[in-house]
Amino acid sequence: GDSVTQMEGPVTLSEEAFLTINCTYTATGYPSLFWYVQYPGEGLQLLLKATKADDKGSNKGFEATYRKETTSFHLEKGSVQVSDSAVYFCALSAKGYQKVTFGTGTKLQVIP
Amino acid sequence: GAVVSQHPSWVICKSGTSVKIECRSLDFQATTMFWYRQFPKQSLMLMATSNEGSKATYEQGVEKDKFLINHASLTLSTLTVTSAHPEDSSFYICSAPEGGSDTQYFGPGTRLTVL
């Protein structure tokens, strides 16, 4: 079945550092790929998405590129802020099928 | 973007009682909604798919008689945890896709604590 693998956290970075959170997936066909963010005590918010190969999703300085050849969707940000501290979930959804498969989540802590 | 609300945001109850959690799509209609539970520091586990006007579809290992789901309208799904026990304490999150989109919009979650 479909699965998503994320790098384990927590990831601790200093403010303005470069962020990469790795995500790889296994799925049949061409799923849609997502990054969701969860701030402490809150639900999930969609951060960005990509629906086909080579698409780049971007939002709030974060970006991720749908790489079919490596089945990856790594999240990057050039300069993190303390307010980016949260748990980030990589996820996929098969086309035409609304059920979402989540990775285990990666906690990011940004220190001043 | 689309907004999904949940009520209550947190609830504390005694063991053996039942608790109802509401999930509403505020600015769109949702024929399908999803219910997840999340344990501390873990990912979301899909519990069931709520279908408007028909029975919910439960994931393997989820007790349908314990977690009752009712999708009474195109904007409301409810999850009732019956005869709650401390092991049911968790963070329950619902989601709904807008229209035919494959993007899920999530509610803010409900933290249930069973004493």
Side-chain angles (χ1 to χ4, degrees):
Chain A
D2 296 347
S3 67
V4 177
T5 302
Q6 287 181 241
M7 61 186 289
E8 289 193 21
V11 174
T12 302
L13 295 174
S14 298
E15 205 164 22
E16 299 183 1
F18 184 86
L19 168 71
T20 299
I21 301 178
N22 290 336
C23 171
T24 57
Y25 67 90
T26 302
T28 53
Y30 302 87
S32 295
L33 302 176
F34 307 86
W35 277 100
Y36 285 90
V37 58
Q38 185 178 33
Y39 297 100
E42 299 183 12
L44 273 68
Q45 301 175 25
L46 176 66
L47 181 60
L48 53 84
K49 63 182 279 190
T51 58
K52 61 183 188 297
D54 299 325
D55 263 4
K56 177 184 284 188
S58 61
N59 185 25
K60 300 181 181 179
F62 291 90
E63 38 179 56
T65 301
Y66 191 141
R67 300 289 188 197
K68 187 177 185 309
E69 63 276 13
T70 54
T71 61
S72 64
F73 194 54
H74 304 321
L75 181 68
E76 297 182 336
K77 186 175 185 182
S79 176
V80 293
Q81 305 299 313
V82 173
S83 57
D84 294 327
S85 298
V87 180
Y88 292 82
F89 291 92
C90 186
L92 69 81
S93 175
K95 291 290 189 327
Y97 190 54
Q98 296 170 331
K99 194 178 291 189
V100 178
T101 301
F102 286 92
T104 53
T106 302
K107 183 176 181 179
L108 170 65
Q109 183 176 11
V110 181
I111 55 178
Chain B
V3 178
V4 174
S5 70
Q6 280 184 242
H7 177 79
S9 55
W10 58 270
V11 57
I12 301 173
C13 70
K14 293 182 179 180
S15 186
T17 60
S18 294
V19 175
K20 180 184 286 187
I21 302 170
E22 294 184 347
C23 176
R24 291 182 186 275
S25 56
L26 296 186
D27 49 2
F28 66 102
Q29 294 182 331
T31 56
T32 302
M33 292 182 175
F34 299 90
W35 286 97
Y36 299 82
R37 67 184 297 182
Q38 184 181 30
F39 292 102
K41 300 181 180 180
Q42 294 188 26
S43 190
L44 281 73
M45 181 191 79
L46 179 64
M47 299 175 64
T49 303
S50 174
N51 304 298
E52 190 268 335
S54 64
K55 292 182 178 180
T57 304
Y58 291 83
E59 296 299 303
Q60 190 173 8
V62 177
E63 300 175 60
K64 61 181 181 180
D65 294 330
K66 182 168 187 60
F67 298 100
L68 300 180
I69 290 172
N70 183 31
H71 198 142
S73 75
L74 289 172
T75 58
L76 173 64
S77 174
T78 59
L79 168 68
T80 301
V81 183
T82 62
S83 186
H85 289 92
E87 57 267 29
D88 299 324
S89 298
S90 190
F91 195 51
Y92 292 88
I93 302 175
C94 70
S95 73
E98 182 182 19
S101 170
D102 58 2
T103 300
Q104 297 285 335
Y105 294 92
F106 286 81
T110 296
R111 183 160 303 283
L112 170 64
T113 301
V114 184
L115 303 177

